[in-house]
């Protein structure tokens, strides 16, 4: 089964692209990391308890306020009140050293749980007979999940102002400063696009540019999927489904190739920094 890792940065258009990929003619199943990241921190889960114990003492508004009867003291399920996401966001989005430390702590709690949930979702897609699946992961490179993907697709914009304008139009509750902090908390999308292109041809890395309108975006997705299909034709996907041992070997080979690609990228980055 082909794993297509879909990534980008905040408000560059990943969700819009994943809706296109979920619809005909592609009709691909989507595994959405943001959605899983919400599910794994619901009250009663181990991640929820870990977040409350780490952030609770220093974040008075960490949980949504109690207001019976809609929101009882111990939450609707009795397992605790849900996390107040904007408040937690203020603790972890930004470039201040303490904020970075807190973000790393939150990632350390949430990411392993998300990875496990993704693994089960991908296994279910394989057993259901899908020849390809999209992993929609905003932090695909940062969490090293790109190592498992046959193809990485980055949704990028060339103009940072387009990204800010779309973010502020969509999330009207964010101030400009909050929006800038969120943009800064994710890597520069143009660097992600370069990293994607550096994976080499053969459909291993495809960039979908999204500075234009929705029609143009649909055209970009069509072009990118044609490239992916050329490199990994349908018959190949069916062959992998028919022969699970071959799928395992190809999976291991893909992983090894990706480790080498990432080493080359890290080396190129080191050389680039040394020149400065
Ligand atoms: C801090 C939280 C509670 C804020 O929630 P909120 O609903 O306000 O924002 P939302 O989750 O929609 O995220 C907004 C944007 O920030 C990005 N983002 C989320 N977490 C992170 C992070 N740790 N680092 C960088 N960017 C992030 C998201 O991908 C999205 O593009 C939430 O983002 C969270 O739990 N983050 C940690 C888990 C995580 O890394 N999720 C990303 C996918 S695994
Ligand atoms: N080509 C486009 N033209 C106009 N608006 C667009 C275009 N692409 C995306 N948008 C809008 O920009 C906003 C951000 O897009 P989207 O939600 O798909 O981004 P995202 O990368 O998934 O964001 P996040 O990481 O925050 O979840 C949305 O309101 C979306 O409708």
């Amino acid at each position: 089964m082909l794993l297509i890792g879909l990534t980008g940065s905040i408000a560059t258009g990943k969700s819009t692209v994943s809706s296109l990929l979920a619809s005909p003619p592609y009709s691909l199943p989507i595994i959405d990391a943001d959605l899983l990241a919400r599910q794994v921190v619901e009250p009663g889960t181990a991640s929820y308890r870990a977040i409350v114990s780490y952030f609770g003492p220093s974040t008075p508004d960490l949980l949504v306020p109690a207001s019976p009867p809609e929101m009882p003291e111990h939450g609707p399920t009795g397992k605790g009140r849900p996390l107040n996401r904007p408040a937690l966001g203020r603790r972890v989005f930004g470039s201040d050293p303490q904020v970075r430390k807190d973000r790393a702590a939150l990632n350390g709690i949430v990411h392993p749980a998300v990875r496990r949930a993704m693994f089960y979702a991908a296994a279910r897609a394989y057993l259901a007979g899908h020849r390809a699946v999209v992993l929609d992961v905003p932090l695909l490179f940062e969490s090293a999940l790109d190592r498992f993907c046959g193809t990485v697709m980055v949704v990028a914009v060339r103009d940072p102002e387009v990204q800010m304008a779309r973010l502020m139009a969509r999330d009207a509750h964010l101030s400009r400063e909050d929006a800038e902090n969120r943009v800064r908390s994710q890597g520069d999308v143009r660097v992600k696009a370069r990293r994607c292109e550096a994976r080499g041809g053969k459909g291993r890395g495809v960039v979908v540019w999204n500075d234009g309108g929705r029609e143009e975006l649909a055209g970009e997705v069509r072009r990118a999927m044609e490239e992916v299909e050329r490199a990994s034709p349908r018959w190949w996907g069916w062959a992998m489904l028919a022969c699970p041992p071959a799928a395992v070997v190809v999976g291991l080979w893909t992983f090894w190739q990706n480790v080498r690609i990432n080493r080359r990228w890290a080396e190129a980055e080191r050389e680039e920094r040394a020149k400065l």
Side-chain angles (χ1 to χ4, degrees):
M1 185 173 68
L2 175 66
L3 296 183
I4 303 175
L6 177 68
T7 192
S9 278
I10 187 166
T12 57
K14 294 176 300 295
S15 307
T16 311
V17 168
S18 83
S19 324
L20 289 170
L21 294 175
S23 320
Y26 317 109
S27 305
L28 294 171
I30 311 287
I31 301 176
D32 181 338
D34 273 345
L35 194 71
L36 294 177
R38 283 169 189 265
Q39 290 168 354
V40 301
V41 300
E42 276 170 10
T45 59
S47 304
Y48 172 84
R49 284 192 294 277
I51 290 170
V52 171
S53 120
Y54 182 91
F55 290 95
S58 51
T59 320
D61 55 350
L62 181 67
L63 304 180
V64 297
S67 66
E70 292 86 25
M71 181 54 69
E73 183 61 33
H74 297 293
T77 57
K79 292 177 179 163
R81 279 178 274 133
L83 297 173
N84 176 358
R85 299 179 67 87
L88 186 51
R90 279 190 289 278
R91 287 289 312 270
V92 301
F93 293 130
S95 41
D96 191 80
Q98 181 58 42
V99 168
R100 280 166 185 268
K101 188 171 160 257
D102 288 340
R103 185 159 72 242
L106 181 66
N107 289 347
I109 296 169
V110 181
H111 289 182
V114 172
R115 272 199 292 273
R116 265 194 307 278
M118 291 192 101
F119 173 79
Y120 290 128
R124 277 197 298 276
Y126 178 75
L127 293 175
H130 291 288
R131 56 175 204 91
V133 66
V134 176
L135 305 184
D136 179 348
V137 191
L139 305 177
L140 187 81
F141 291 124
E142 296 83 341
S143 55
L145 280 168
D146 59 310
R147 290 175 306 174
F148 301 94
C149 298
T151 293
V152 169
M153 185 181 285
V154 169
V155 187
V157 288
R158 291 189 173 90
D159 181 357
E161 259 314 305
V162 171
Q163 185 180 5
M164 273 300 284
R166 287 190 185 149
L167 174 59
M168 293 187 68
R170 187 194 60 189
D171 299 343
H173 63 282
L174 294 179
S175 65
R176 180 143 189 123
E177 191 191 352
D178 281 347
E180 278 170 354
N181 278 337
R182 284 179 181 229
V183 169
R184 249 182 262 124
S185 297
Q186 299 198 0
D188 185 335
V189 76
R190 286 151 291 273
V191 175
K192 291 189 185 186
R194 279 208 299 280
R195 179 165 178 177
C196 181
E197 283 164 350
R199 288 173 59 86
K202 302 193 195 123
R204 284 202 197 108
V206 284
V207 180
V208 170
W209 291 106
N210 186 22
D211 291 86
R214 289 173 194 276
E215 286 280 302
E216 260 176 74
L217 178 62
E220 275 286 291
V221 170
R222 204 175 313 119
R223 177 196 58 74
M225 284 309 287
E226 278 166 9
E227 196 177 329
V228 172
E229 297 240 333
R230 261 198 309 277
S232 177
R234 274 166 197 265
W235 66 262
W236 175 254
W238 298 127
M240 290 300 106
L241 276 176
C243 183
V248 171
V249 173
V250 170
L252 290 173
W253 173 248
T254 303
F255 183 82
W256 171 237
Q257 289 286 316
N258 286 333
V259 168
R260 291 179 51 194
I261 286 171
N262 283 351
R263 270 196 209 136
R264 273 205 306 274
W265 173 259
E267 225 164 85
E269 270 207 316
R270 261 197 306 278
E271 279 169 19
E272 198 59 40
R273 269 200 301 271
K275 275 191 222 150
L276 297 175

